Amino acid sequence: MENSNKKIAILLPCYNEALTVEKVIKDYKEAFPTADIYVYDNNSTDGTGEIARKAGAIVKKEYSQGKGNVIRAMFKDIDADCYIMADGDDTNPPVPEMADMILRGEAEMVIGDRLSSTYFTENKRLFHNTGNRMVRGLINTLFDVHVTDIMTGSRAFSYTFVKTFPVLSKGFEIETEMTIHAAAHNLRMVEVPTNYRDRPEGSESKLNTYSDGAKVLGTIARLFKEYKPMAFFGLFALIFLIISICMFIPVFNEYFATGLVPRFPTLIVAGFLLIIALLLFMSGLILEVIVKKNRQIFEMFYIRTKRK
């Protein structure tokens, strides 16, 4: 482990992980012997917190339910030079290389890429593989990045990333938000292939394929609108413009052929749609200027937050 004088914090958000949390703590102790291991117990009912405390972790409670709420509390409470985040379900083996890359300043966020290794053979949950591919394709296309594993809970962060990342998500969509935040603010992301092992028998995933998947898609749409408003509103402006033109052309042709406008209601609707298209375009243009100014403010705040 490089930079042994640097402080490393292991972050384990947990909800009912009594079967696996002790082994996870043991594995991360062996991989990062000088690190502080934090377990944030998110209203577990199976004794997860007590097991983690006996295993030597620093245990804290987070009463607001949801992984995003837990990450918000962790990022707010803990100061370190490098943060290693992992799930408490024993699916993410520790990878010391991730911490090394952060401590050397090679990236602001290192992503543990499961999809390039054993994920598709180990994961037995229906539709999770398809969902991962769909989310990856959307984000890579909309935000012009090339990230293989968007949904992984195995990540490492710099102090600057943690202290400048505004956590808005409440649940499992937090990983999506992290990736888009880094892409939108030009923060360097690096992927490191990691092994993935499915949950042991008796341990159940807290991720709901359909409801949490819908939240992830909603998060992508929201952040696309917020970070790229010109593209978002411009797309809808183009749709309304095309519909308006398609409705207007027959009326225009009839007028030049007969000098009459027999379909006056169609002309009115086409006019309204054209106005809506113009309003959408102008909204996107104005918001794009605001987003650019916010990026400038973020950049200054980001520089001032750099850990000495």
Side-chain angles (χ1 to χ4, degrees):
M1 177 63 61
E2 301 181 12
N3 297 287
S4 56
N5 60 324
K6 297 288 188 178
K7 182 178 179 181
I8 299 175
I10 311 298
L11 311 181
L12 303 175
C14 290
Y15 172 60
N16 287 343
E17 302 291 3
L19 287 176
T20 54
V21 69
E22 184 176 3
K23 182 178 183 301
V24 172
I25 293 170
K26 179 177 178 292
D27 289 347
Y28 275 87
K29 271 186 176 182
E30 292 177 357
F32 303 94
T34 62
D36 293 327
I37 300 179
Y38 295 87
V39 169
Y40 273 58
D41 183 7
N42 195 203
N43 302 312
S44 296
T45 57
D46 62 353
T48 294
E50 188 58 33
I51 294 171
R53 188 175 290 106
K54 289 179 179 178
I58 301 168
V59 178
K60 301 193 178 212
K61 290 281 291 184
E62 173 53 46
Y63 295 97
S64 297
Q65 196 66 40
K67 188 174 183 179
N69 290 322
V70 176
I71 298 302
R72 181 188 297 111
M74 288 176 158
F75 284 6
K76 174 176 65 73
D77 295 344
I78 301 168
D79 289 334
D81 297 289
C82 173
Y83 301 76
I84 305 291
M85 185 179 79
D87 295 325
D89 56 9
D90 195 30
T91 59
N92 308 128
V95 183
E97 182 188 354
M98 295 171 69
D100 291 338
M101 297 181 77
I102 292 292
L103 294 174
R104 288 195 300 260
E106 295 177 12
E108 297 293 348
M109 177 169 66
V110 180
I111 299 171
D113 172 19
R114 309 161 298 169
L115 304 190
S116 296
S117 59
T118 54
Y119 183 83
F120 291 116
T121 55
E122 285 285 324
N123 181 44
K124 305 298 191 298
R125 285 162 285 177
L126 191 62
F127 300 126
H128 280 213
N129 296 344
T130 302
N132 269 289
R133 289 191 180 100
M134 181 173 66
V135 169
R136 176 179 64 190
L138 268 175
I139 292 178
N140 286 341
T141 300
L142 295 177
F143 294 92
D144 191 26
V145 292
H146 301 283
V147 179
T148 304
D149 194 350
I150 303 291
M151 305 290 290
T152 178
S154 176
R155 295 173 187 252
F157 312 99
S158 68
Y159 174 86
T160 313
F161 182 95
V162 165
K163 297 305 179 182
T164 59
F165 172 53
V167 182
L168 302 178
S169 299
K170 297 180 180 179
F172 285 102
E173 62 272 26
I174 182 67
E175 286 94 356
T176 302
E177 186 178 2
M178 288 173 174
T179 305
I180 293 175
H181 171 79
H185 291 97
N186 197 29
L187 303 180
R188 181 164 168 74
M189 295 181 283
V190 176
E191 288 191 288
V192 173
T194 63
N195 289 326
Y196 173 87
R197 52 199 178 209
D198 205 11
R199 283 173 169 266
E201 188 175 351
S203 175
E204 295 183 1
S205 173
K206 315 306 182 299
L207 176 65
N208 184 288
T209 302
Y210 303 105
S211 63
D212 287 310
K215 290 176 183 177
V216 168
L217 294 176
T219 297
I220 295 172
R222 172 176 62 82
L223 294 177
F224 181 56
K225 177 191 69 176
E226 292 174 359
Y227 287 131
K228 294 197 170 186
M230 189 67 249
F232 180 85
F233 287 99
L235 175 63
F236 285 101
L238 180 62
I239 292 171
F240 278 96
L241 177 63
I242 292 171
I243 296 174
S244 174
I245 292 173
C246 290
M247 295 181 70
F248 178 73
I249 287 175
V251 177
F252 183 80
N253 290 336
E254 286 180 348
Y255 174 76
F256 270 90
T258 65
L260 301 174
V261 183
R263 292 192 286 179
F264 213 80
T266 302
L267 178 63
I268 294 174
V269 172
F272 272 118
L273 292 176
L274 179 61
I275 292 171
I276 291 172
L278 290 172
L279 288 173
L280 286 168
F281 177 79
M282 291 306 300
S283 297
L285 195 62
I286 293 168
L287 289 172
E288 190 73 21
V289 174
I290 295 173
V291 166
K292 185 175 181 180
K293 178 59 66 175
N294 287 340
R295 284 179 185 150
Q296 293 171 344
I297 294 171
F298 172 83
E299 191 65 25
M300 291 186 290
F301 180 60
Y302 171 79
I303 293 170
R304 291 176 183 176
T305 310
K306 275 284 186 183
R307 192 170 178 87
K308 303 298 183 184

